[in-house]
Amino acid sequence: MVTRSFRTSHSLPTISHVAEEAKVSRATVSRAFSQPHLLSRETVELVRAVAERLGYVPNHTARALSTGRAGNIALVVPDITNAFFASLMRGAQAKARDQGYATFLGDSDETPELEDILLTRLSAQVEGFILVSSRLPKERILEHAQRRPFILVNRDVAQLPRLLIDTGPSYATAVEHLASLGHRSIAYVAGPILSWSNRQRHAAVAKTARKLGLSLVRIATSRPSFEAGLACTDELLGAGVTAALAFDDVMAQGIMAGLAGRELAVPADFSVVGCDGVLATTTYPPLTSVETRCALAGERAVELLLEGLQGKAPRSRSISLPTELVIRATTAPPGISVRPGANVDGPTPSRHAPMERT
Amino acid sequence: MVTRSFRTSHSLPTISHVAEEAKVSRATVSRAFSQPHLLSRETVELVRAVAERLGYVPNHTARALSTGRAGNIALVVPDITNAFFASLMRGAQAKARDQGYATFLGDSDETPELEDILLTRLSAQVEGFILVSSRLPKERILEHAQRRPFILVNRDVAQLPRLLIDTGPSYATAVEHLASLGHRSIAYVAGPILSWSNRQRHAAVAKTARKLGLSLVRIATSRPSFEAGLACTDELLGAGVTAALAFDDVMAQGIMAGLAGRELAVPADFSVVGCDGVLATTTYPPLTSVETRCALAGERAVELLLEGLQGKAPRSRSISLPTELVIRATTAPPGISVRPGANVDGPTPSRHAPMERT
DNA sequence: TTGTAGGCGTTATCAA
DNA sequence: TTGATAACGCCTACAA
């Protein structure tokens, strides 16, 4: 036998085979599956029996081409491995499946270029897009949105329906929380510059810090990753602050690891706040974090998209999802004052300093 | 203006539009994209320029109907939010995209039922499947595999091509490592009972423990999650062991949190070993773990699938991916002996005991 | 209630 | 090198 790849391709039975065998027209076979109420009970049963015997299943691709409805949606995110996006995708995919839709997955690797390729490539097979934390310029998003319905998540383009996870107020609360603990000098460890969420969070922190008379340092990073959080620890300590608000939980975790590696205890020596709530309970000590219910956001986004697809009620163009600061165990009054330049000579993970709580 | 759902004006330009605009036939436009070498350089450039201007992209659904090739694959995993699967998906999706394939995403939520639904639903629009850590019975997998090509990951069904991440030897090494440190009584914290990986790991641990004369306790859990790891801490401590090999990093992290909450230091009081290497560097202290290069596994799986699809060389039916035990900072000689029943009265996360190394 | 005929967007075959 | 034309499998007016 010649090895011919495993495409043991047997041509599947088509609507014509069934029609011939059942001695009805192809239209009747079609109706027996898509509009059975238009047919007599007997005909439906006959056709289905024949189809069953022949092993016929309606061809989804052909149906999609004919009706224009693919029964698919696409979910495009900057990074699947980020727990926030993973949770969101999980919620979205489950909801879509419940509604009979299949979901394409797109990981843009945080780059606008790949995002653009994915959006283009997928547009013909998909009824609509859920575009999460897009790094694309507004104009380009609008161009894509001209081709297919879009729901934006965490990106604020006035012309398009969007779901905005409103972390601003919670970041403001977090700053107030730190201030009330006695912190006077804090840092915001920034996320991607192209991220709407990052701008919102930074703005909220800056405004509140100003209001309360706190000094604020902004620390730039390459990418919202554990490594980036870890890598900015020196800069953080050098800045002479006593607390950091990170762009997200992943970075917060990196910062905590960096601090631990420098024998600094959290929260006794340094306070840390994260965002998303995806990792918050898995760190030790548990992370004080802005909770976002990201899985729910994924579900809501799918609901919005499918409602629009089915031409339901006029949906609101911008939906805001509230968040909440959950205070766990990484924030406390500034303890040992961190002197600029101290303890910044690299990781020494041999010993974990004891940490006190309140 | 009446709000009529946003389906309005979302019709994409077709091959005919481009043909008309470029004053060539539709066949020529088609060739400009699929068989450019059959056309003159000028024609190709002209057509592509016009297409670009009009925003034309070949419709994959129509192409699929005509050629029988959908240009899509599906990736089905038990849990997107598990970092191991997320990394694997990331690698797979990127590779598929590079090869011009789009990827459907399926999350089975660790249940055979949902897995079955996804496989059925997706089969019509997909050229092949990558099924990761399937929880489905062998017979059912084979039925699905009759319709479409399958690549199995971490599931050993003799009739199907499969990619097996070979963690057995590394788990054996891990047990030897613990034994050499002086541990005499260890635990294996198990993963899903339907998981091939779990069986492989448990078998390797059991065999090696027996060989070295170590006493081994197997601890069952509900699901490979942080919470499950956390929840089994009491049982772990009650078992009187001095070290635990967890099914994966996520559970190991849960165990570490549980230990920390009971004022036990890792590795001074208790040693922990994980698996996957996805979280290993993000814990504190860094986790000793069996590294799996999961992103690479995703890429390899896609390569295998696409090779089969294109009828290339007869691929080997079973490919084994080696792993490696990476010793970091969570394993040390058994320090304070853990007395059964001690320190098991719930979390008291107020203080993190200092930990020693070596 | 059922059949006829045309179309969905592409590719493949055969000519030119 | 390019152009007609016929599939691909299904859906859906329109007719009967």
Side-chain angles (χ1 to χ4, degrees):
Chain A
M1 185 194 98
V2 184
T3 307
R4 294 178 45 205
S5 86
F6 43 34
R7 176 191 299 286
T8 339
S9 181
H10 2 272
S11 51
L12 283 68
T14 75
I15 207 170
S16 298
H17 297 138
V18 179
E20 190 175 357
E21 188 77 7
K23 288 165 187 163
V24 296
S25 72
R26 301 188 310 166
T28 300
V29 177
S30 173
R31 289 185 185 112
F33 287 95
S34 49
Q35 317 258 25
H37 57 278
L38 294 180
L39 260 38
S40 76
R41 206 172 291 285
E42 308 150 325
T43 311
V44 173
E45 282 170 8
L46 167 67
V47 172
R48 292 206 171 160
V50 172
E52 172 92 6
R53 182 155 57 76
L54 265 43
Y56 166 79
V57 179
N59 181 316
H60 196 99
T61 303
R63 179 178 283 174
L65 182 60
S66 182
T67 62
R69 269 169 293 168
N72 302 328
I73 64 170
L75 203 56
V76 177
V77 303
D79 181 0
I80 310 178
T81 63
N82 183 307
F84 170 76
F85 297 123
S87 288
L88 191 148
M89 291 174 64
R90 192 141 197 277
Q93 194 260 175
K95 171 66 80 176
R97 179 178 36 65
D98 286 348
Q99 307 286 320
Y101 279 78
T103 307
F104 276 106
L105 157 70
D107 179 313
S108 71
D109 198 23
E110 297 275 1
T111 70
E113 294 75 21
L114 277 182
E115 199 179 322
D116 201 65
I117 291 175
L118 285 167
L119 260 27
T120 305
R121 166 69 170 79
L122 256 17
S123 63
Q125 324 188 59
V126 144
E127 288 183 44
F129 285 91
I130 293 174
L131 183 56
V132 185
S133 301
S134 176
R135 277 31 166 164
L136 235 35
K138 172 186 165 187
E139 297 71 29
R140 191 66 186 133
I141 294 179
L142 286 171
E143 283 180 42
H144 281 293
Q146 227 161 349
R147 306 164 60 86
R148 290 291 183 218
F150 269 70
I151 301 289
L152 265 34
V153 176
N154 281 355
R155 181 66 192 257
D156 195 14
V157 175
Q159 295 91 329
L160 297 175
R162 54 211 184 280
L163 200 63
L164 300 172
I165 300 181
D166 192 20
T167 51
S170 296
Y171 267 82
T173 305
V175 173
E176 289 165 1
H177 167 60
L178 290 173
S180 74
L181 288 171
H183 293 270
R184 306 300 303 159
S185 188
I186 63 177
Y188 174 69
V189 181
I193 44 171
L194 296 172
S195 155
W196 171 85
S197 300
N198 179 56
R199 284 195 298 272
Q200 190 204 32
R201 291 167 197 179
H202 185 215
V205 169
K207 182 177 174 186
T208 312
R210 202 179 316 119
K211 193 181 74 183
L212 299 176
L214 302 188
S215 100
L216 172 68
V217 176
R218 177 183 179 282
I219 295 188
T221 61
S222 55
R223 186 177 169 137
S225 66
F226 175 87
E227 289 72 24
L230 187 65
C232 77
T233 311
D234 281 347
E235 190 179 350
L236 206 48
L237 294 175
V241 300
T242 57
L245 299 117
F247 169 70
D248 69 5
D249 282 354
V250 180
M251 301 194 75
Q253 193 183 24
I255 293 168
M256 285 174 69
L259 292 169
R262 287 164 182 77
E263 304 192 24
L264 290 172
V266 173
D269 298 331
F270 202 92
S271 290
V272 178
V273 177
C275 182
D276 290 345
V278 282
L279 260 35
T281 60
T282 74
T283 63
Y284 192 83
L287 185 62
T288 293
S289 179
V290 173
E291 301 270 329
T292 59
R293 308 198 63 188
C294 32
L296 183 69
E299 291 181 33
R300 290 289 294 124
V302 170
E303 283 172 10
L304 283 175
L305 183 60
L306 298 189
E307 278 171 18
L309 250 26
Q310 293 157 197
K312 290 261 177 72
R315 73 246 153 268
S316 50
R317 303 298 280 189
S318 172
I319 290 186
S320 184
L321 248 44
T323 61
E324 184 188 6
L325 177 69
V326 175
I327 298 172
R328 295 202 182 82
T330 57
T331 43
I336 304 156
S337 88
V338 179
R339 294 139 301 158
N343 285 316
V344 282
D345 34 30
T348 52
S350 57
R351 183 170 248 279
H352 195 168
M355 41 191 132
E356 308 285 339
R357 221 165 128 214
T358 317
Chain B
M1 184 194 100
V2 185
T3 309
R4 296 177 43 205
S5 89
F6 43 36
R7 176 182 294 288
T8 345
S9 84
H10 282 300
S11 61
L12 311 177
T14 75
I15 207 169
S16 298
H17 297 141
V18 179
E20 190 175 359
E21 190 75 9
K23 288 168 188 162
V24 296
S25 72
R26 298 185 310 169
T28 300
V29 178
S30 174
R31 290 184 186 113
F33 287 95
S34 49
Q35 320 256 23
H37 56 278
L38 295 180
L39 260 37
S40 75
R41 207 171 290 286
E42 307 152 325
T43 310
V44 173
E45 282 170 8
L46 166 68
V47 171
R48 292 206 170 158
V50 172
E52 170 94 6
R53 183 155 55 76
L54 263 44
Y56 166 80
V57 179
N59 182 321
H60 271 79
T61 303
R63 177 177 286 175
L65 183 60
S66 184
T67 62
R69 271 170 291 168
N72 301 327
I73 64 170
L75 203 56
V76 177
V77 303
D79 182 359
I80 311 178
T81 62
N82 183 307
F84 170 76
F85 297 122
S87 289
L88 191 148
M89 291 173 64
R90 193 143 197 277
Q93 194 261 176
K95 171 65 78 173
R97 178 179 37 65
D98 286 349
Q99 306 287 321
Y101 280 77
T103 307
F104 277 106
L105 158 70
D107 179 312
S108 71
D109 197 22
E110 297 275 2
T111 70
E113 293 75 22
L114 277 181
E115 200 179 321
D116 200 65
I117 291 174
L118 286 166
L119 259 28
T120 305
R121 167 68 171 80
L122 255 19
S123 66
Q125 337 188 43
V126 144
E127 287 184 45
F129 284 92
I130 293 173
L131 183 56
V132 186
S133 301
S134 175
R135 277 31 165 164
L136 234 36
K138 172 187 167 188
E139 296 72 29
R140 192 65 186 133
I141 294 179
L142 286 172
E143 282 179 43
H144 281 294
Q146 227 161 349
R147 296 183 60 84
R148 295 287 181 213
F150 269 70
I151 300 289
L152 265 34
V153 176
N154 281 356
R155 181 67 192 259
D156 195 13
V157 175
Q159 295 90 331
L160 264 25
R162 55 213 183 278
L163 200 64
L164 299 172
I165 301 181
D166 192 19
T167 51
S170 297
Y171 267 81
T173 305
V175 173
E176 289 165 1
H177 167 60
L178 290 174
S180 75
L181 287 170
H183 293 271
R184 306 300 303 161
S185 187
I186 63 176
Y188 175 68
V189 181
I193 43 170
L194 296 173
S195 156
W196 172 85
S197 300
N198 179 56
R199 284 195 297 273
Q200 191 203 32
R201 291 167 198 178
H202 184 215
V205 169
K207 181 178 175 185
T208 313
R210 201 178 317 119
K211 191 181 75 183
L212 300 175
L214 303 189
S215 99
L216 172 68
V217 176
R218 177 182 180 281
I219 294 187
T221 60
S222 56
R223 187 178 169 136
S225 66
F226 176 87
E227 289 72 22
L230 188 65
C232 77
T233 311
D234 282 348
E235 191 179 349
L236 206 48
L237 294 175
V241 301
T242 56
L245 299 117
F247 169 70
D248 70 5
D249 281 354
V250 180
M251 301 194 76
Q253 194 183 25
I255 292 168
M256 285 174 71
L259 292 169
R262 286 164 183 77
E263 303 192 24
L264 290 172
V266 173
D269 299 329
F270 202 93
S271 290
V272 178
V273 177
C275 182
D276 290 346
V278 282
L279 258 36
T281 60
T282 74
T283 63
Y284 192 83
L287 185 63
T288 293
S289 179
V290 173
E291 300 271 329
T292 60
R293 307 197 65 188
C294 33
L296 183 68
E299 290 181 33
R300 290 289 293 123
V302 170
E303 284 172 9
L304 283 176
L305 183 61
L306 299 188
E307 279 171 16
L309 251 26
Q310 293 156 198
K312 290 263 178 71
R315 70 248 154 270
S316 49
R317 303 297 281 187
S318 173
I319 290 186
S320 184
L321 247 46
T323 61
E324 183 188 8
L325 176 70
V326 176
I327 297 173
R328 297 203 179 81
T330 58
T331 43
I336 302 158
S337 88
V338 179
R339 294 139 302 157
N343 283 315
V344 281
D345 34 32
T348 52
S350 57
R351 183 171 248 278
H352 195 167
M355 42 191 134
E356 308 285 339
R357 227 164 124 209
T358 313

